Amino acid sequence: MFKPLAAAGLALLLAGCAQPIVKTTGPLAITRVDINTAPTLKAHTDLLPQVRQTVPTQLVGAHPGKPAVLDLTLVDVHYKNPVASLLAGDSNHLTAKGVLRAEDGTEITRFDARTSDQGAINGIAGAVISVAQDRARVDRAMARELAKDLERRIYGKVTREPAQLELAPKIGAPVAPPAPAAAPAPAAPRVGAPKPLAKGAAGV
């Protein structure tokens, strides 16, 4: 258990020390982000749609340069485990692989991305948190962190905080029925002009 955790921490440290991709490729302007998942990805909530909303908003049109397309594949997601949190320390983390291409499809470069809530609480409190955490909210947080990590990995800086997204409604949640339409009001009686009195009537 300890070796995988140590390896993951080392990989994250090395990724954080890597120079921005544009230092070797030259300025890049991302015009589109295509996001898919690997067969190995097992997410229990709405991670993919959250990433698809967050990452393009963060990267597309954010920097000038040669037009480029980012192909992003979500490879693995890990949710904080109670036992690992108690014994050795654990965190929620998401791993992805990116490929930058020119507009004609020519590959520019490949890279790995990994986001993790490294400041997460561990020990007994961490184990309790890992059991009670809302995975939909974890997914939203990881999507936002991934967007920032990708911008930092490609450009060396984060230009803005990713937009806060609404959580998708849970599947099977009761939906309130629409309010019944109000019955149409009865039409007011039509009042016509008074009929003239017949000839010979009293008073004429």
Side-chain angles (χ1 to χ4, degrees), residues 3 5 12 35 37 41 46 76 85 95 102 131 150 172-173 188 195:
K3 289 183 179 179
L5 288 173
L12 186 64
I35 304 171
T37 59
L41 184 77
D46 56 348
D76 182 54
S85 296
T95 305
V131 172
L150 287 169
K195 296 182 178 180

Side-chain angles (χ1 to χ4, degrees), residues 73-90:
T73 302
L74 306 183
V75 177
D76 182 54
V77 60
H78 171 79
Y79 296 103
K80 189 174 176 68
N81 180 274
V83 176
S85 296
L86 184 62
L87 297 179
D90 196 16

Side-chain angles (χ1 to χ4, degrees), residues 4 12 38 46 61 98 106 140 142 145 175-176 196:
L12 186 64
D46 56 348
T106 304
R140 183 172 67 169
M142 287 198 291
E145 288 304 312
V175 178

